[in-house]
Amino acid sequence: MKMPDTGSSSPILGLEAVTAAMVPLVGGKAANLGELLAAGLPVPDGFCLTTEAYREAAADAHRSGGPLAEVHAALNATPDGDLPALAALAYRARGIIQNAPVPTEVAAAVEQAYAALGDNVSVAVRSSATAEDLPSASFAGQQDTYLNVVGAAAVVEAVRNCWASLWTDRAVSYRASRGIDPAAVALAVVVQRMVDATAAGVLFTANPLTGRRKQALIDASPGLGEAVVSGAVNPDHFVVDPLTGRVLERRLGDKRIAVRPIPGGGTRTLAMSNGGAAACLTDKQAAELAALGHRVEGHFGSPQDIEWAIAGDGRLWLTQSRPITTLFPVPQRAAAGSTSGGEGTRVYLCFSLAQGLTRPITPMGLAAFRLIASSVARAAKFDVPEPRKGPSPYAAAGQRIYLDLTAVARSTTGRRIVPRVFDVMEARSATVLRRVFEDPRFSVTRRTPLGMLRHVVPAAVHARVPETLLRAVFRPDAALRRTNRRAREFAGSLEPPAGLTPLQRLDHAEHVLGTRIFSVVPSILPLPALGFAALALAGKLLGGGRWDDLQVVLRGLPNNVTTEMDLELWRLAQVIKNDGGSRAAVTDRKPAELAEDFRAGRLPAVLQSGLARFMGQYGHRAVAEIDVGMPRWSDDPTHILGVLANYLRLEGSALAPDVQFSNAAEEADACVDRLVAEARSRGRLRGTVVRAALRRARLFAGLRELPKYQLVVGLAEVRKQLALAGAALAAAGVVADADDVFFLDLDEARSGLDSGAADLRDLVAQRRADYAVELERRHIPRVLLSDGTEPEAIPSGDAVTASKVPGALSGSPASAGVVTAAARVILDPVGAHLEPGEILVAPSTDPGWTPLFLTAGGLVMEMGGPNSHGAVVAREYGIPAVVGVPDATLGLFTGQKIAVDGGAGTVVPS
C-alpha cells in the first residue's frame, strides 16, 4: 500500500517502509511485519501509527510531576512479586491514557491512512510495543488487538484502546518481572486489512515441546485465528517436515467454536456442529504453510512463532511473526566452527548440570574451561590446534558447557562405561543417554576399546596412576600422606612472583589454566576410585544386594575436605554462640551489613578473628565455584554469615552436626565390624579381604571431593590475577569496573590491556544483559541433539510412576532413611534460610550448598545420582536423600509437608 503524503512529521508509516531497525519507533510487531514484506512474503496491506503518536497523546500526563510519571515512579518502587499493587498501578495508568484526548493531527493522519486502504474497509488494529517480540522476550498477548474494525472513527477509538492496553495488569507484571523500566516503554499501533479467513491459526517453525528444529507445528481452526491464539478451542494439530512437506502427525481437535466477523464491525463466537469431523486444512495446505514458515525462519535467522490465515480464495497470509523465545540454543562446537555441518546428528551432554550448576557461566568462566578442557585433551594425546577454543568435543549453549558425546554413543566401550559412571553421578543423564543410544542414528561404529586405550594408557602412565594405585592397595596410609602432601604443594606453587604487570598477570592466569590446574587431578583421582572399587568388591564378596549396608559404611567419612569445611564452620558458630557481642551481631543484623563491616575490620573481635581464620582456609570457595567469574567467599562473605545465623538457631545437642557426624562414623565402624564378622564366618581369607576393602573404602572414598577442591584452589588464584588485570582495565577506562573483566574472554582482556585498545564497555554491558536473561532460565536440557531435540522431553511409552499416590515424585535413592517434615524450596543458597529439620529441595548442589545440609532433615534434588556431591554429603550426615527428581522445585512448595524415603527414592506429600 502506498501511503498518502501526510508530511514529514506524520506519525504514520506504511508497513512497506518499516524495517527491523525501527523497533523504538514502530514496536516489535510492526518491525517484523515490515521485514516480512521486504522479503516478499504475503502480508496484508496496512500502516503503522508510530510511538511518537503515543508519546504526544501522553505528553501532559508523562511530564515530570504528571500523573503517569507518578505511576512510573511507583512501579519502579514496587517489587515484581506484589501483584495486587502492580494491578492497582496498572489500573491508574489505563485510566490516565483512556481519558487523554487523541491529538487532532494524529486522528486526522489515522483517518487519511485508513481511507487509503479503501472505503470503510474492515481492518485489524493491533498493539505493537517497543519491548515486544524481541529475541530475548516475547510479549505475546500482553497488549490488545481489535478485529474487524470498520469506519475511521472506530479505528481512532481502537487506537486509543490499544494505547491503554500498554498498561494491562498482565503487561505491567510481565515487564516488572523482566526489569523493564516503565518510563522507557511506548506503544505503536498496526492497522491492517482484515483477512476474511476460512481457517487460521499458529505455526511454529521448530517444535517447542521437544526443541527439534526443522519440524513445523501447526494449530488450525475454522474462522479467525483468535480462537486458537486465545486457547478457546481445541484446534487441529499438524506436525510437518518443512523440507519434504510430509505430514508426520495429524490430530483433529473438536473445534466446537469459531470466531467470525460481523458485518459492520466486531466479531462473534459461533458454536460449530460436528466441528471435529473433518480437518480444516488439507495436507497440501499444511505443507505449503510449513514451507512458508521455513522461508520466514530463513529470513529472520531463528525459529519463529507465526500467525497465519487462509482467505476464501485459498491464498495464505501472514499476520504476525515473532521469535520463539523458549527454545534452548543448539550447542556450538567452537573448535569445529559449527553445530553439525555435514557430520550428521550429534549428541551433547550438559557438563554444567553434571557439576550441579544450573546457572549460566560468565564469559571468562567459559574461556577458563576451554583452556582446562584443552589441557585434559592434550594430556590424553588428542590434537588441540587452538587451545583457547577448546578441544573438539567442547561446546557451549545458553552460556552452559556441553560435551559432544557422539563418539561415545558410537562406541561399544563408551556405551558400556559412560552411563555407568553417570549412574552414580547424575542418574537422570544416564537414563537419557541410554534412550539416545537406542536411536538408530547413533549406531555403533567402533566395537573395540583400542582407540580409547591409545589415549588413556599413555596419559595414565605419564601421571603414574599405576604406581599410585599399587601404593594405595599395599600401603594405604603412605598413599594418603603422599596425596595430602601433593595437595599442599600444589596450593603453594600457584602464586606468581611479585611485581607483575597486568599483561603478565594475564599470562600467569593462562598458564595456571592451561598447564597447572589439571596436572594435580591424576595424582588424586585414583584413590577415591580405588575406594569405591573396594566398596564394590566387598559387596560382591558379601553376596551382593547389600546397598543399604554399604551406604552405612560411607557415613561419617574421614578425609573429605568439604565435610571438614562444614564442621569447621559449625565450630566457629559455637565460638560465636558463647560470645555475647558476636552472637548478637550475627542474629540481629543482616548478613550483607556484617559482610561490609568484616571487610572494614569493624566486627566484634571474636567474630572478626574467627571469620578471618575460616576465610584464610576456605575463602577460595564459592557457590557455583567452578565459574572463575563468581565471587569467592573471601570476596563476599555474605553467604557464610547467613549460614552462621542459621547455625545459631539450632537448639539441642542431639541435632548438632558434629554430634551427628560422630554418630555416623561410629555407625559406619560398627557396620564394618559386622560385615567383616559375617564374611569371616564364610572363610578367614574372605573376612581379611572384606576388612581390607572396607578400610580402603572409608580411607579413600572421602577424597572424592579433593580433585575439585584443588581445581577451585587453582581457579581462585586465576580469579585473583584476572581481578588485578581488570582493575588495570578499569583504570584505563576500557571497562567501567574491575569485575567487568569476567564478562570478557582472555583475548579480549589482552587486547584491552594493549595500548590504544578499543572501549569495551558496550560489549560488557551487552554480555551482562545476556547473562541476566540466562539467569532467569529455569529449565536446562541435560542432553541435546544437534537438531535441537531434547531427548528427555520426548514422551517415553514405557515410563512408569514409582508411586500411585497423587502428587508423588520419584527419583534415585541416594541416602537411606525416611523423614517427614516441611519442605523448603531453595533455588540459590546465597542468603537462604533453612529451619532446623526442614527438607531442602534444590535444583542441584555443589560445595557452596553443603553448609545448609548441617541443619537439613532431608534432601531432594532435581539432578544427581547416588554418588553425586549432594548424595555423598547427605550420606555422611545421615540425612535421607532422593536425587534426580524431575521438576522437584516446581512440583513441591515451601511449607508443604512431605515424606522422603531415601531408600525407595520417593517423595510423597503427607
Side-chain angles (χ1 to χ4, degrees), residues 350-400:
C350 187
F351 176 81
S352 299
L353 274 184
Q355 291 296 310
L357 190 60
T358 57
R359 64 184 295 138
I361 298 176
T362 60
M364 189 62 79
L366 292 172
F369 256 91
R370 288 195 294 272
L371 275 179
I372 295 171
S374 294
S375 72
V376 175
R378 288 199 307 267
K381 307 302 181 185
F382 286 100
D383 184 32
V384 185
E386 298 181 80
R388 291 183 187 177
K389 290 186 176 181
S392 58
Y394 177 95
Q399 300 176 32
R400 278 91 178 172

Side-chain angles (χ1 to χ4, degrees), residues 255-301:
K255 305 185 293 295
R256 293 180 181 178
I257 63 168
V259 178
R260 301 284 189 186
I262 301 172
T267 62
R268 60 180 174 177
T269 300
L270 300 175
M272 297 286 289
S273 60
N274 203 25
C280 60
L281 286 182
T282 66
D283 283 6
K284 181 181 178 182
Q285 288 173 319
E288 290 173 352
L289 266 174
L292 194 59
H294 185 60
R295 287 178 59 194
V296 174
E297 179 180 303
H299 177 75
F300 286 109

Side-chain angles (χ1 to χ4, degrees), residues 362-434:
T362 60
M364 189 62 79
L366 292 172
F369 256 91
R370 288 195 294 272
L371 275 179
I372 295 171
S374 294
S375 72
V376 175
R378 288 199 307 267
K381 307 302 181 185
F382 286 100
D383 184 32
V384 185
E386 298 181 80
R388 291 183 187 177
K389 290 186 176 181
S392 58
Y394 177 95
Q399 300 176 32
R400 278 91 178 172
I401 300 171
Y402 279 79
L403 298 178
D404 186 342
L405 293 189
T406 310
V408 170
R410 295 191 176 281
S411 163
T412 301
T413 305
R415 288 184 171 209
R416 184 183 304 118
I417 294 175
V418 172
R420 290 181 181 176
V421 171
F422 278 96
D423 278 335
V424 294
M425 284 182 59
E426 219 289 298
R428 285 173 64 186
S429 293
T431 300
V432 179
L433 283 174
R434 288 188 173 99

Side-chain angles (χ1 to χ4, degrees), residues 208-500:
L209 305 177
T210 66
R212 184 171 180 177
R213 272 53 165 187
K214 302 300 182 279
Q215 190 176 76
L217 268 65
I218 302 171
D219 283 343
S221 185
L224 303 180
E226 177 67 15
V228 175
V229 174
S230 66
V233 67
N234 291 325
D236 291 341
H237 178 78
F238 300 83
V239 179
V240 184
D241 183 330
L243 301 180
T244 66
R246 186 164 66 95
V247 176
L248 306 175
E249 180 184 336
R250 182 189 302 101
R251 185 174 67 247
L252 301 187
D254 54 30
K255 305 185 293 295
R256 293 180 181 178
I257 63 168
V259 178
R260 301 284 189 186
I262 301 172
T267 62
R268 60 180 174 177
T269 300
L270 300 175
M272 297 286 289
S273 60
N274 203 25
C280 60
L281 286 182
T282 66
D283 283 6
K284 181 181 178 182
Q285 288 173 319
E288 290 173 352
L289 266 174
L292 194 59
H294 185 60
R295 287 178 59 194
V296 174
E297 179 180 303
H299 177 75
F300 286 109
S302 65
Q304 296 289 301
D305 169 3
I306 299 167
E307 293 182 22
W308 56 269
I310 299 179
D313 60 4
R315 186 174 181 186
L316 289 173
W317 293 96
L318 304 179
T319 58
Q320 191 164 303
S321 184
R322 53 180 166 259
I324 304 175
T325 58
T326 57
L327 293 173
F328 195 83
V330 175
Q332 299 286 334
R333 295 167 60 211
S338 66
T339 57
S340 58
E343 304 169 331
T345 307
R346 308 193 71 82
V347 56
Y348 297 93
L349 175 84
C350 187
F351 176 81
S352 299
L353 274 184
Q355 291 296 310
L357 190 60
T358 57
R359 64 184 295 138
I361 298 176
T362 60
M364 189 62 79
L366 292 172
F369 256 91
R370 288 195 294 272
L371 275 179
I372 295 171
S374 294
S375 72
V376 175
R378 288 199 307 267
K381 307 302 181 185
F382 286 100
D383 184 32
V384 185
E386 298 181 80
R388 291 183 187 177
K389 290 186 176 181
S392 58
Y394 177 95
Q399 300 176 32
R400 278 91 178 172
I401 300 171
Y402 279 79
L403 298 178
D404 186 342
L405 293 189
T406 310
V408 170
R410 295 191 176 281
S411 163
T412 301
T413 305
R415 288 184 171 209
R416 184 183 304 118
I417 294 175
V418 172
R420 290 181 181 176
V421 171
F422 278 96
D423 278 335
V424 294
M425 284 182 59
E426 219 289 298
R428 285 173 64 186
S429 293
T431 300
V432 179
L433 283 174
R434 288 188 173 99
R435 288 180 60 186
V436 169
F437 295 163
E438 296 173 359
D439 190 324
R441 289 177 293 178
F442 301 109
S443 57
V444 172
T445 58
R446 184 172 298 168
R447 302 185 181 278
T448 70
L450 294 179
M452 180 190 71
L453 292 175
R454 279 198 296 268
H455 294 286
V456 172
V457 171
V461 171
H462 178 75
R464 304 175 76 173
V465 171
E467 176 187 337
T468 300
L469 287 172
L470 287 172
R471 183 180 293 107
V473 170
F474 295 106
R475 299 179 60 204
D477 293 325
L480 182 63
R481 288 194 298 272
R482 182 185 179 92
T483 294
N484 288 332
R485 184 175 69 251
R486 286 188 172 181
R488 290 191 299 271
E489 291 170 351
F490 173 75
S493 68
L494 295 175
E495 189 173 344
L500 295 186

Side-chain angles (χ1 to χ4, degrees), residues 39 132 350 371 412 462 531 542 575 618 639 666 731:
E132 176 184 53
C350 187
L371 275 179
T412 301
H462 178 75
L542 289 165
V575 172
Y618 298 109
H639 171 54
E666 291 177 5

Side-chain angles (χ1 to χ4, degrees), residues 51-142:
T51 56
E52 291 304 317
Y54 167 82
R55 290 192 171 95
E56 185 176 346
D60 287 341
H62 194 278
R63 65 172 46 98
S64 179
L68 199 57
E70 292 177 0
V71 171
H72 293 164
L75 284 170
N76 281 325
T78 303
D80 59 14
D82 191 348
L83 298 183
L86 292 174
L89 290 168
Y91 178 79
R92 281 180 56 191
R94 286 197 303 277
I96 292 168
I97 297 300
Q98 286 171 334
N99 291 325
V102 177
T104 303
E105 61 275 19
V106 172
V110 171
E111 291 169 0
Q112 187 177 2
Y114 173 71
L117 289 175
D119 186 23
N120 277 340
V121 66
S122 171
V123 295
V125 182
R126 303 174 185 272
S127 304
S128 181
T130 54
E132 176 184 53
D133 296 347
L134 306 178
S136 62
S138 173
F139 280 63
Q142 300 301 318

